[in-house]
Amino acid sequence: MADDTNLLVRRMIAGDAEARAQLQALARTRTSPIVLVAAALAGSDGDQLLARAAAAATTTRDRQLVAIAAAHLVDDEELLDALVRDHLADHPDSILAAWIAAQHPRPGRPATRHQE
């Protein structure tokens, strides 16, 4: 299951609209924080999905990922940078956190957020 989720997240990051839709569909019935965070970033009901992800997050890694996504969605650049730095220091394989950081617009740099 984790491999399937990781593949879907990787496909979403690569811009696969079908993967985005699949993650959003999975988020209706799943409680996996990574599924809920990815779906929150892929759809319009991010706040609700992040609240569910926060409630389901039982590990520090999952709680950090939820906080990173929340900071990104509210455009808190300073908090996002600090959270991503800490998270990636402990979890350098967290491609979703790295992607979130890369998608966040910075002053003087054009936004690279993925749009459908």
Side-chain angles (χ1 to χ4, degrees):
M1 175 56 169
D3 288 340
D4 292 342
T5 299
N6 288 332
L7 179 60
L8 274 177
V9 169
R10 288 176 186 270
R11 287 177 43 211
M12 180 194 83
I13 288 170
D16 185 334
E18 183 180 323
R20 293 168 70 92
Q22 287 177 328
L23 284 163
Q24 289 175 311
L26 284 174
R28 292 186 201 112
T29 59
R30 301 279 170 82
T31 59
S32 163
I34 194 166
V35 168
L36 294 168
V37 167
L41 298 170
S44 60
D45 52 350
D47 292 339
Q48 179 185 37
L49 291 171
L50 281 184
R52 287 183 49 214
T58 58
T59 66
T60 300
R61 180 183 180 128
D62 288 343
R63 287 188 296 271
Q64 288 174 339
L65 186 60
V66 172
I68 288 166
H72 171 66
L73 291 176
V74 298
D75 259 353
D76 189 335
E77 182 179 338
E78 288 183 34
L79 179 59
L80 175 66
D81 286 344
L83 292 171
V84 167
R85 233 183 347 264
D86 287 347
H87 183 75
L88 291 177
D90 292 335
H91 310 285
D93 63 335
S94 183
I95 61 167
L96 187 55
W99 180 77
I100 292 168
Q103 298 308 300
H104 196 78
R106 303 277 192 296
R109 186 182 95 182
T112 59
R113 287 187 182 175
H114 181 268
Q115 301 291 324
E116 282 188 49

